[in-house]
Amino acid sequence: MATAVEYKTGASLVDEETFARIVLFMVNDPQFKEDPKHAPGILDQALAYYGAVAVHAGDPLMPSEAVDRGVHAILLHTRESHDLFNRIAGRFLHHNPHPERGGRPAASLAETKAAIRDAGYVVQDKFWATVEGGVSQCDSDDGRPYSTV
């Protein structure tokens, strides 16, 4: 008999107060100006992304354009990201922007979504859309030399 898998949310990785504070930051900060209807989902998926990066050391997992905004918001909250990364991975989880390389193939997003599911997190597909000409230029770069793809 098959056993049903219970997936957790990315939001479950932080306390409610921290989640609400980062969402509010994403909505109100002029750099982000995120839609209040989408900010919680974007942050949830960014946290799920980090949950997957924590257990897929060395794999170049890549956030979508939307999720990358949540990743950046997490990184700007240095105390919270430090605590989160140490708790879920026991190490710092790097973020690697390479705008000079342009977008990467959409297959990279499919691989990242699969890694998130494999790590036990819910994937909200609406935040993982591809864009014409490729996708996000950032990846986790975790466990690899910083200068390699």
Side-chain angles (χ1 to χ4, degrees):
M1 175 183 262
T3 305
V5 176
E6 287 196 35
Y7 292 97
K8 55 191 172 268
T9 64
S12 69
L13 292 174
V14 296
D15 61 69
E16 290 179 18
E17 189 270 333
T18 298
F19 187 83
R21 190 165 16 90
I22 298 174
V23 165
L24 189 61
F25 171 81
M26 292 172 65
V27 169
N28 292 324
D29 187 271
Q31 177 184 349
F32 290 87
K33 295 182 184 175
E34 210 58 67
D35 183 324
K37 293 182 288 194
H38 299 300
I42 290 170
L43 181 57
D44 173 80
Q45 292 300 277
L47 289 163
Y49 164 80
Y50 273 127
V53 169
V55 297
H56 287 272
D59 295 339
L61 303 181
M62 182 189 316
S64 67
E65 293 293 330
V67 174
D68 195 41
R69 295 191 304 271
V71 165
H72 289 203
I74 293 166
L75 288 172
L76 288 172
H77 289 78
T78 58
R79 282 190 180 101
E80 292 84 350
S81 61
H82 178 267
D83 292 346
L84 171 68
F85 298 161
N86 280 332
R87 188 169 32 79
I88 67 174
R91 65 189 186 282
F92 188 78
L93 300 178
H94 294 279
H95 186 64
N96 184 28
H98 270 293
E100 74 281 1
R101 291 194 303 219
R104 299 205 184 105
S108 297
L109 285 185
E111 292 167 7
T112 298
K113 287 169 47 176
I116 291 170
R117 284 187 188 99
D118 289 347
Y121 296 93
V122 173
V123 172
Q124 297 182 52
D125 287 320
K126 68 181 176 181
F127 297 114
W128 290 91
T130 59
V131 294
E132 180 109 9
V135 292
S136 175
Q137 302 157 3
C138 299
D139 69 26
S140 61
D141 201 29
D142 189 61
R144 296 174 288 135
Y146 188 76
S147 62
T148 62
V149 176

